[in-house]
């Protein structure tokens, strides 16, 4: 992805610099408005439904959090299940971008549409000006991100993907809700450009394995990625490490398929001019 810098190139007049910088600025809400209006996460794994509540609010439609969650059909982790079913539930807990699009349509009584733009494989796009264009035309962006990407060394790896509404951009910066946050364009780029996989912590795997029962098969009848990633083999290796007396580094996570696709979903009122532009916009070109 091409990263856009602020307009500091030599040779530009002040007027040209100001015009170029304006392409990098757009706000749905001021920071004070965002602090007052944004919705705190409404439930476990419900970041997608939370984003839908704020999308509809930004479009002038108020819905109860319960209505949004029911419309999105948030899926939960099955924490008390045996390991294979637990891992299956982890791979789809929360919501996909399609659930957000369907949920916004249903919760708004058919008034709101959404269009998803995938960012993996890597795309050729000037991210901040691209977002600024849509925001200025009252399209509401929601980012679907792999938060396990780009984690600084020494920091704990987050436990899930995340949906966040983007309420504004400025040169090289993106402003988001749930939580209120400012991230760099580069940081967002890393989170958006990810395979559809999820890391599961070692302790969450091992505490669901007992010596009383053999490890059951870990695959998925409808998703060959479970075999491609050799999830069962990863688990067996983790078990072997526990039984090995040698002191050597151990796996911290296993990798499983995830239902989510990284990208930006843009929402708009169905009867607005921008909705037609969204529907006709081409996919972002591959880099």
């Amino acid at each position: 992805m091409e990263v856009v810098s602020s307009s500091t190139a030599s040779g530009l007049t002040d007027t040209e610099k100001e015009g170029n910088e304006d392409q990098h600025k757009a706000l749905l809400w001021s920071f004070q408005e965002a602090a007052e209006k944004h919705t705190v996460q409404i439930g476990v794994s419900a970041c997608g439904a939370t984003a839908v509540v704020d999308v509809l609010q930004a479009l002038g439609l108020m819905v109860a959090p319960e209505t949004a969650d029911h419309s999105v059909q948030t899926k939960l982790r099955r924490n008390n299940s045996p390991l294979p079913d637990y891992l299956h539930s982890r791979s789809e807990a929360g919501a996909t971008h399609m659930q957000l699009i369907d949920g916004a349509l249903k919760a708004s009584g058919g008034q709101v549409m959404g269009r998803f733009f995938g960012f993996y494989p890597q795309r050729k796009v000037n991210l901040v000006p691209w977002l600024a264009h849509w925001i200025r035309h009252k399209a509401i962006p929601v980012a679907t991100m792999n938060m396990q990407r780009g984690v600084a060394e020494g920091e704990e790896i987050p436990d899930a993907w995340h949906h966040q509404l983007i309420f504004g951009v400025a040169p090289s910066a993106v402003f988001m809700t749930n939580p209120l946050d400012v991230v760099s364009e580069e940081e967002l780029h890393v989170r958006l450009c990810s395979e559809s996989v999820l890391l599961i912590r070692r302790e969450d795997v091992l505490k669901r394995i007992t010596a009383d029962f053999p490890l059951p098969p870990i695959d998925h009848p409808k998703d060959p990625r479970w075999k491609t990633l050799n999830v069962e083999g990863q688990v067996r290796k983790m078990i072997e490490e526990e039984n090995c007396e040698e002191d050597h580094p151990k796996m911290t996570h296993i990798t499983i398929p995830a239902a989510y696709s990284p990208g930006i979903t843009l929402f708009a009122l169905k009867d607005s001019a921008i909705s037609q532009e969204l529907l006709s916009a081409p996919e972002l070109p591959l880099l």
Side-chain angles (χ1 to χ4, degrees):
M1 180 180 296
E2 295 179 354
V3 177
V4 180
S5 63
S6 59
S7 303
T8 56
S10 61
L12 292 180
T13 67
D14 289 343
T15 301
E16 288 172 330
K17 288 181 181 180
E18 289 174 3
N20 198 17
E21 287 180 356
D22 284 344
Q23 297 177 13
H24 299 66
K25 296 179 181 178
L27 286 172
L28 294 169
W29 297 324
S30 69
F31 290 95
Q32 182 62 37
E33 287 173 328
E36 295 171 354
K37 292 182 176 182
H38 85 283
T39 303
V40 177
Q41 184 148 326
I42 62 177
V44 177
S45 297
C47 58
T50 303
V52 167
V53 173
D54 280 349
V55 164
L56 299 184
Q57 181 183 186
L59 291 172
L61 304 171
M62 304 300 293
V63 300
E66 297 79 8
T67 300
D69 197 28
H70 178 74
S71 299
V72 169
Q73 297 186 334
T74 300
K75 296 182 179 180
L76 300 178
R77 302 179 184 186
R78 296 187 287 275
N79 289 318
N80 297 322
S81 290
L83 181 63
D85 188 59
Y86 168 74
L87 293 178
H88 293 163
S89 75
R90 287 297 310 275
S91 75
E92 61 180 13
T96 66
H97 69 270
M98 283 305 305
Q99 286 174 262
L100 269 60
I101 292 172
D102 292 342
L105 178 67
K106 183 177 180 181
S108 68
Q111 297 182 69
V112 173
M113 56 81 66
R115 167 77 188 278
F116 177 76
F117 292 87
F119 275 67
Y120 182 84
Q122 197 169 7
R123 308 293 167 144
K124 185 177 182 180
V125 59
N126 294 321
L127 181 56
V128 163
W130 183 80
L131 285 167
H133 165 78
W134 294 113
I135 291 171
R136 280 195 296 267
H137 289 84
K138 305 304 179 185
I140 316 301
V142 172
T144 300
M145 303 168 290
N146 185 352
M147 304 300 287
Q148 298 178 327
R149 291 287 306 271
V151 179
E153 186 175 352
E155 291 188 5
E156 184 177 357
I157 296 176
D159 200 32
W161 285 51
H162 196 37
H163 302 286
Q164 285 183 269
L165 180 143
I166 296 172
F167 71 89
V169 293
S172 300
V174 180
F175 312 123
M176 313 176 85
T177 63
N178 189 31
L180 284 178
D181 198 9
V182 181
V183 300
S184 70
E185 187 175 14
E186 294 82 2
E187 186 176 359
L188 180 58
H189 165 206
V190 171
R191 294 174 181 175
L192 286 172
C193 192
S194 167
E195 294 180 294
S196 295
V197 293
L198 178 69
L199 299 176
I200 306 297
R201 295 177 299 195
R202 181 183 189 89
E203 57 266 32
D204 289 334
V205 173
L206 294 179
K207 71 182 181 181
R208 290 175 171 83
I209 297 173
T210 66
D212 300 332
F213 297 98
L215 182 68
I218 303 176
D219 55 17
H220 196 290
K222 297 181 180 179
D223 191 344
R225 295 181 299 162
W226 289 80
K227 288 189 178 295
T228 302
L229 289 172
N230 191 20
V231 176
E232 183 175 329
Q234 294 180 64
V235 173
R236 292 192 181 279
K237 180 180 179 182
M238 196 171 273
I239 295 172
E240 290 172 2
E241 289 177 343
E242 284 296 291
N243 297 328
C244 180
E245 296 182 357
E246 296 181 13
D247 186 18
H248 58 79
K250 296 180 179 180
M251 298 170 62
T252 60
H253 297 79
I254 65 169
T255 302
I256 68 171
Y260 330 104
S261 298
I264 304 286
T265 306
L266 290 158
F267 295 89
L269 293 171
K270 289 182 72 175
D271 61 359
S272 65
I274 198 64
S275 68
Q276 298 307 309
E277 183 180 343
L278 274 174
L279 291 173
S280 61
E283 293 292 336
L284 297 173
L286 295 173
L287 185 63

